[in-house]
């Protein structure tokens, strides 16, 4: 019994010390999204959906919940954001080719229609990010319009 108490105390001490450390936060400028919005021109309802469901993990600006102050949760969240930005980062939109942008929108359509995005782990704590069928249709319709625009652009030779 004594050894168990010592182990529990050690775990508690390590947990408390860990609270003084954490990953870098994704706290860029919200203006980094402007080029994406300008180019893709989402309607107001889709802009709101993007803000509530996408930007936290797919831009350089994340709104952190209170529990992000708890280690190891903050590392888990940082990993999600890093992975999300690796796949689709609206803050770095300008540097992508038309072909890549079109492909990203193709993936967006697939993921949203299949209800794989936003992730369940995100909507569990961000209930406002759960998309209704009407919202899914609005996002998909907009994304298809953007893809059409990209398909009409002249291809580089």
């Amino acid at each position: 019994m004594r050894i168990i108490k010592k182990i529990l105390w050690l775990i508690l001490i390590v947990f408390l010390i860990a609270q003084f450390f954490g990953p870098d936060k994704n706290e860029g400028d919200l203006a980094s999204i402007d080029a994406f919005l300008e180019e893709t021109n989402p309607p107001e309802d889709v802009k709101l959906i993007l803000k509530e469901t996408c930007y936290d993990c797919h831009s350089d600006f994340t709104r952190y919940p209170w529990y992000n102050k708890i280690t190891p949760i903050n590392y888990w969240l940082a990993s999600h954001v890093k992975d999300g930005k690796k796949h689709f980062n609206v803050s770095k939109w300008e540097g992508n080719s038309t072909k890549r942008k079109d492909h990203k929108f193709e993936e967006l359509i697939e993921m949203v229609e299949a209800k794989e995005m936003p992730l369940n782990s995100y909507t569990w704590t961000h209930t406002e990010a759960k998309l209704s069928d009407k919202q899914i249709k609005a996002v998909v319709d907009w994304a298809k319009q953007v893809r059409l625009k990209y398909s009409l652009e002249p291809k580089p030779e």
Side-chain angles (χ1 to χ4, degrees):
M1 189 64 155
R2 224 179 206 176
I3 191 87
I4 293 174
K5 281 186 178 181
K6 285 183 180 182
I7 291 172
L8 289 175
W9 275 109
L10 181 62
I11 291 170
L12 178 63
I13 289 169
V14 169
F15 178 77
L16 291 173
I17 291 171
Q19 301 314 302
F20 292 100
F21 302 94
D24 291 336
K25 288 189 172 184
N26 188 44
E27 295 180 313
D29 190 357
L30 195 54
S32 66
I33 297 166
D34 290 347
F36 171 79
L37 293 175
E38 215 171 281
E39 183 175 317
T40 61
N41 195 26
E44 288 304 315
D45 60 334
V46 173
K47 275 185 191 177
L48 182 60
I49 293 167
L50 295 171
K51 179 184 175 195
E52 295 296 326
T53 62
C54 304
Y55 294 161
D56 283 345
C57 296
H58 296 286
S59 78
D60 290 343
F61 181 80
T62 300
R63 299 166 299 151
Y64 286 98
W66 64 269
Y67 50 83
N68 186 64
K69 293 180 171 65
I70 302 170
T71 300
I73 294 172
N74 51 9
Y75 283 96
W76 179 70
L77 291 173
S79 172
H80 271 273
V81 171
K82 182 179 178 184
D83 189 52
K85 287 172 60 174
K86 179 179 76 174
H87 291 286
F88 188 72
N89 186 350
V90 298
S91 293
K92 305 285 188 252
W93 196 246
E94 285 180 296
N96 292 312
S97 68
T98 300
K99 182 179 178 179
R100 180 167 169 80
K101 290 174 183 179
D102 179 59
H103 179 67
K104 289 299 160 187
F105 268 85
E106 178 183 25
E107 290 176 340
L108 181 151
I109 292 166
E110 289 174 10
M111 300 294 279
V112 172
E113 281 184 326
K115 298 184 179 183
E116 293 178 27
M117 278 290 152
L119 296 174
N120 287 332
S121 59
Y122 185 78
T123 58
W124 185 66
T125 55
H126 297 83
T127 55
E128 74 282 358
K130 289 184 182 178
L131 297 179
S132 68
D133 289 341
K134 181 180 176 185
Q135 290 172 310
I136 290 170
K137 182 178 177 354
V139 170
V140 168
D141 287 350
W142 161 73
K144 286 178 179 178
Q145 286 179 342
V146 173
R147 287 200 71 206
L148 179 61
K149 174 187 149 198
Y150 291 143
S151 72
L152 296 175
E153 287 187 10
K155 306 287 185 249
E157 294 184 32

